[in-house]
Amino acid sequence: MPLCWIGIIMQYAYLQYMSPPFFMLWPSIVGWGWMLLSLIPVVIVVCMNAILCVSVILTSFTNGFINFLVMFIPVVIAILSLVALVHIAFTDHLELIALFIFGSLGGGKTFVGTFTDTSGNVWNVYTE
């Protein structure tokens, strides 16, 4: 339990006082290439943080009232940390979120017409 307290408090302090947190996701600081390379580990860290917060909250409620009293402060800090992490993701990295949304849409093919070669074969022509 003390390790849980220390880890959650250190994470919250990092998110609040590091300027800027997750600096590797700012293309103006490190460039687009390094930012895109650093994105996957940061997404994994964000998912692990969400799982940690949920597990700490559920553990505090399932193991009795004494455990709830001991874990109450880390639960509050974990909730604040998750809120800070989501706030950072959506306010500071909006251009990155928009980039991935537009990138996931992909390009559709549009039918332009047909092409007949010298052998008489007919081919459909598409643009991307």
Side-chain angles (χ1 to χ4, degrees):
M1 293 219 194
L3 187 62
C4 181
W5 277 61
I6 292 169
I8 290 177
I9 290 171
M10 286 176 60
Q11 176 182 326
Y12 183 70
Y14 170 76
L15 291 173
Q16 287 298 316
Y17 301 113
M18 179 67 184
S19 174
F22 300 117
F23 70 95
M24 72 287 290
L25 292 185
W26 264 262
S28 60
I29 296 175
V30 297
W32 279 98
W34 179 251
M35 185 200 70
L36 292 175
L37 202 77
S38 302
L39 181 69
I40 293 172
V42 170
V43 168
I44 292 171
V45 166
V46 169
C47 293
M48 288 174 62
N49 178 46
I51 291 170
L52 172 72
C53 290
V54 170
S55 67
V56 166
I57 292 166
L58 291 178
T59 303
S60 68
F61 287 115
T62 56
N63 291 337
F65 186 69
I66 300 298
N67 193 26
F68 173 74
L69 289 179
V70 171
M71 295 295 288
F72 180 72
I73 292 174
V75 165
V76 171
I77 294 173
I79 292 171
L80 292 175
S81 177
L82 189 60
V83 167
L85 193 58
V86 170
H87 183 266
I88 289 167
F90 282 105
T91 57
D92 294 335
H93 302 298
L94 193 59
E95 69 278 355
L96 185 63
I97 293 169
L99 175 75
F100 277 99
I101 289 173
F102 290 133
S104 66
L105 294 176
K109 294 182 179 181
T110 31
F111 180 73
V112 176
T114 57
F115 170 74
T116 307
D117 61 5
T118 56
S119 301
N121 299 322
V122 179
W123 302 90
N124 293 330
V125 179
Y126 296 94
T127 62
E128 291 189 25

